[in-house]
Amino acid sequence: MVNHIIDYIDTHYQEELTLDILASQACVSVFHFHRIFRQMTGVSLNRFVTLVRLDKASSLLKNNLLLSCTDVAYQCGFSSLSLFSRVFTRYYGINPIQYQKDQKKALKTELDRVNILIAEYSKNVQRGDLSFVEICNVIIKKLTIMNFTIEERVFEAFQVAYVRHVGDYRDISSSYEKLFAWAIPNGVVNQPGFKALTVYHDDPAIVGLDRLRQDACVTITNDINVVEPIGKTIMEGGKYIVGHFEISLSEFAQAWEIMCLYVVQHNYQLRLAKSYEFHLNNFKEHPELKVITELCLPIE
């Protein structure tokens, strides 16, 4: 029940989300729903909805710098700019207008730093047509990933079963253990086109590791029944940039850094949607214990 409601909030945060509406979605009484939701999440329903909207708004202010604060407020489900400003300031200690100005300043500073480093390197090697791998080697300290490909791809919507994890992304293994303990005996891993993936609901730079929401997922092709802690949902499709990597477990942070640098270097606009991390092999069976993975960032 709680998984379903959280998924509903995550896709309907722009709409009115009252206790009555969400209790109706859960098909239980308002009293029972409020008690169960707080027990399972540790926060009240109203606070949870507000935090989801604030996280979405922060992401838009950070990644869509041309949007006005008024546009962000209404796109994220706040009824007015004044309400949005008051709630945002109370939570972050800074008003959204100043937050967006700070994000613009930070982006300009980073772009200037990147451009200076590239210009200096180009001058030293006497070439202006640097490959993206060369640029990564200049910008990213102690770069160890040299072989990867990045392309645009359009995904169709697809269905997954999942176990939710909240907290440090390095601790998600227990969620995968629960997921596969269900998936293997139910024959899910033998379905055509089966894939395992991690889905990121949040930007860790915005919410911090303690509130980072992730789903350990497996694709499913039929309408299989699930019982919590297993959840089931539809992952939206759309346009993504997809990076194909063969990396060690310690190189995931660096691979994501490469993806973010690619976005900046190619002037992509990130879309307010979930990021995916497809796991295409069992790293324990790889001769070098490496993960073959595809990192996917949503773009406009």
Side-chain angles (χ1 to χ4, degrees):
M1 177 184 73
V2 173
N3 276 339
H4 167 66
I5 294 303
I6 290 176
D7 290 340
Y8 185 87
I9 292 170
D10 216 38
T11 54
H12 294 80
Y13 61 89
Q14 296 173 316
E15 304 169 13
E16 184 180 17
L17 294 173
T18 65
L19 183 58
D20 287 339
I21 290 171
L22 293 174
S24 176
Q25 280 289 323
C27 300
V28 295
S29 70
V30 169
F31 172 78
H32 181 66
F33 173 72
H34 186 266
R35 181 175 59 84
I36 293 296
F37 188 89
R38 189 179 191 109
Q39 180 182 337
M40 295 299 293
T41 64
V43 296
S44 69
L45 175 66
N46 183 61
R47 179 163 177 78
F48 186 90
V49 171
T50 298
L51 288 174
V52 168
R53 287 172 170 160
L54 283 173
D55 293 342
K56 304 290 187 185
S58 300
S59 184
L60 281 176
L61 290 171
K62 176 184 177 183
N63 297 315
N64 299 67
L65 298 176
L66 296 180
L67 280 178
S68 71
C69 288
T70 301
D71 290 335
V72 170
Y74 288 116
Q75 286 189 29
C76 294
F78 292 94
S79 58
S80 68
L81 176 59
S82 60
L83 173 63
F84 171 55
S85 297
R86 187 166 63 251
V87 174
F88 191 97
T89 304
R90 186 187 308 135
Y91 187 76
Y92 288 105
I94 185 174
N95 69 65
I97 295 175
Q98 187 59 50
Y99 179 89
Q100 189 177 51
K101 287 180 180 178
D102 290 349
Q103 294 300 317
K104 289 179 180 179
K105 182 178 179 181
L107 177 61
K108 183 181 184 305
T109 300
E110 179 61 15
L111 286 175
D112 288 345
R113 183 186 75 87
V114 167
N115 289 333
I116 289 171
L117 289 172
I118 292 173
E120 289 177 348
Y121 181 81
S122 297
K123 183 178 179 180
N124 289 336
V125 299
Q126 297 183 339
R127 282 192 299 107
D129 56 338
L130 303 182
S131 69
F132 181 65
V133 173
E134 285 181 288
I135 292 173
C136 289
N137 197 34
V138 172
I139 303 304
I140 300 174
K141 295 180 179 178
K142 299 180 181 178
L143 181 70
T144 58
I145 304 170
M146 292 297 178
N147 295 313
F148 57 88
T149 59
I150 300 179
E151 63 178 358
E152 286 188 26
R153 197 181 300 173
V154 176
F155 290 133
E156 298 294 330
F158 58 98
Q159 187 172 213
V160 299
Y162 66 84
V163 172
R164 185 146 291 149
H165 172 72
V166 179
D168 194 321
Y169 60 87
R170 290 165 290 196
D171 298 328
I172 199 173
S173 58
S174 60
S175 295
Y176 271 107
E177 289 171 3
K178 294 175 185 176
L179 181 63
F180 276 91
W182 167 84
I184 292 173
N186 281 280
V188 173
V189 298
N190 299 318
Q191 292 180 352
F194 167 83
K195 289 182 180 179
L197 64 150
T198 301
V199 172
Y200 292 88
H201 293 257
D202 307 304
D203 180 347
I206 291 175
V207 304
L209 290 181
D210 59 327
R211 285 186 50 235
L212 181 62
R213 293 180 300 145
Q214 308 135 81
D215 293 337
C217 302
V218 290
T219 55
I220 52 178
T221 57
N222 55 17
D223 197 23
I224 191 169
N225 291 323
V226 299
V227 178
E228 293 195 4
I230 310 296
K232 181 174 65 174
T233 192
I234 301 292
M235 291 298 165
E236 63 182 294
K239 186 187 290 186
Y240 285 76
I241 54 166
V242 180
H244 186 93
F245 296 85
E246 189 169 341
I247 53 177
S248 64
L249 292 174
S250 63
E251 292 175 324
F252 267 90
Q254 197 174 89
W256 277 112
E257 194 173 354
I258 288 171
M259 293 293 290
C260 293
L261 182 58
Y262 190 88
V263 168
V264 172
Q265 285 293 301
H266 292 80
N267 297 313
Y268 281 110
Q269 184 72 58
L270 290 178
R271 180 165 50 89
L272 192 57
K274 299 177 181 67
S275 300
Y276 304 145
E277 192 176 88
F278 285 100
H279 309 297
L280 306 181
N281 73 322
N282 182 347
F283 78 95
K284 294 179 181 179
E285 298 174 357
H286 191 285
E288 299 178 34
L289 296 179
K290 289 192 172 184
V291 180
I292 301 173
T293 184
E294 289 184 338
L295 308 186
C296 309
L297 283 173
I299 57 173
E300 296 289 355

